[in-house]
Amino acid sequence: MIYLLITTLFSQAPIDFADYLYASGDFRRAALEYERIGFLVTDDSALASYALLKAAESLLKEEEYGRAAGIYSNGITRFPEKKLNFTYGLVRTRFSEAKYRTVDTLAGKLEGTELQWHGTVYRSFALALEGDTAGAARYFSQLSETLAGDAALGLIRTPLKRRSPLFSATLSTVLPGAGQAYCGRWGDAWQSFSITALMAGAGIYYLAFSKDTTTGNTVKGVVFTSLGGLFWLGNIYGAVNAALDYDEYEERKREKQLQNLIDQFDLDVEIRRP
């Protein structure tokens, strides 16, 4: 009787409170309660593993990936009977941390299990985000029965749009602003061309065509020509940056598209309370 009372007071009531915090969306406090139960309860592995899984889930929702990964790693070694669940949790955590190669390795441990499909989804997207198109396509083909899988497969098979920094710089060397136009920056292109042309044109006028032969006129010509040269060099530098920014934007856009697609998969796994 006393044992049952102690169990109720020190195990069941706290887990009820932790579940209440989780259900109400107070994930930070829920994580603390679950962790306390998971590490203090040593005579009930089912309750302890449940508490730690919920603790890590709470931390994931709070984007505290380091702590979540620590709990999942601890659970893998501490609860062999729940190793699958903790491994899958670690897959999700490493994916959120953008550690895509680790995701690929961990997801491989889910093959042949009830969570193989879930692992394949994460593995596919991880390889796609890592830039391994061939590997991603191989796993995405296993998900082709879903619209999201088809869309993702089509997305990664579409060559990523890129701009060459060298070619962009060459264009702007020949014609100021041409490199920026090549990268789709028409406003910058016009600005680079007009300012460079204005300064250089003014300098050439004062040095070659003006009838004023005074020293002051020559100084004006030198100043404007120098400014035109500086703007010309700056325009080349800007063309290189425009190409780099274009590539970075395209990569971020694809990453966002892939993130939107993975959200279309039902990847939650129910954590059942014992």
Side-chain angles (χ1 to χ4, degrees):
M1 189 63 156
I2 294 176
Y3 175 77
L4 290 176
L5 179 60
I6 293 175
T7 301
T8 300
L9 290 175
F10 294 99
S11 176
Q12 203 65 24
I15 201 69
D16 285 341
F17 181 56
D19 285 341
Y20 166 77
L21 292 173
Y22 185 91
S24 63
D26 191 350
F27 300 117
R28 187 174 298 277
R29 291 175 63 199
L32 293 174
E33 291 296 323
Y34 283 128
E35 280 185 276
R36 182 173 65 83
I37 296 167
F39 287 113
L40 289 180
V41 174
T42 58
D43 60 344
D44 189 341
S45 62
L47 181 63
S49 62
Y50 166 80
L52 289 182
L53 283 169
K54 293 291 284 188
E57 185 70 23
S58 300
L59 292 170
L60 276 180
K61 293 184 181 298
E62 285 292 309
E63 298 184 357
E64 294 190 29
Y65 304 127
R67 285 177 62 194
I71 291 175
Y72 284 129
S73 298
N74 176 274
I76 290 172
T77 56
R78 184 178 167 190
F79 305 104
E81 72 281 3
K82 290 291 183 179
K83 183 177 180 179
L84 189 63
N85 301 80
F86 282 100
T87 301
Y88 178 61
L90 194 55
V91 166
R92 295 170 60 212
T93 304
R94 295 312 186 196
F95 187 87
S96 298
E97 293 177 306
K99 296 181 179 180
Y100 300 126
R101 285 299 173 185
T102 304
V103 171
D104 181 33
T105 301
L106 289 169
K109 298 179 180 180
L110 300 176
E111 289 187 354
T113 72
E114 61 189 60
L115 290 177
Q116 176 176 331
W117 185 85
H118 296 72
T120 300
V121 173
Y122 276 110
R123 197 175 201 176
S124 303
F125 280 96
L127 291 173
L129 291 166
E130 183 68 18
D132 185 353
T133 302
R138 184 170 68 255
Y139 290 108
F140 271 128
S141 63
Q142 300 176 29
L143 308 173
S144 59
E145 71 276 6
T146 65
L147 291 176
D150 285 337
L153 188 59
L155 178 62
I156 65 168
R157 284 178 172 170
T158 302
L160 193 64
K161 294 180 181 179
R162 292 191 176 278
R163 293 292 183 264
S164 167
L166 178 60
F167 185 61
S168 182
T170 301
L171 287 175
S172 280
T173 300
V174 177
L175 179 65
Q180 286 85 340
Y182 162 66
C183 297
R185 292 188 172 185
W186 294 99
D188 291 346
W190 171 248
Q191 186 179 52
S192 295
F193 174 78
S194 58
I195 294 178
T196 303
L198 179 64
M199 294 298 175
I204 292 172
Y205 168 77
Y206 283 118
L207 292 175
F209 297 101
S210 176
K211 296 180 180 180
D212 187 350
T213 59
T214 62
T215 302
N217 189 74
T218 303
V219 170
K220 289 179 183 179
V222 171
V223 169
F224 278 108
T225 302
S226 299
L227 288 174
L230 288 174
F231 277 110
W232 176 69
L233 291 174
N235 137 82
I236 297 172
Y237 177 75
V240 172
N241 281 336
L244 294 174
D245 289 344
Y246 182 94
D247 289 350
E248 182 181 352
Y249 169 76
E250 288 297 321
E251 289 174 1
R252 288 202 312 268
K253 184 171 75 172
R254 172 161 295 187
E255 181 177 343
K256 182 63 176 178
Q257 290 172 324
L258 287 169
Q259 292 287 355
N260 290 337
L261 285 170
I262 197 173
D263 290 340
Q264 297 180 28
F265 289 89
D266 183 10
L267 296 170
D268 289 335
V269 175
E270 183 182 0
I271 304 173
R272 297 180 181 178
R273 176 170 164 174

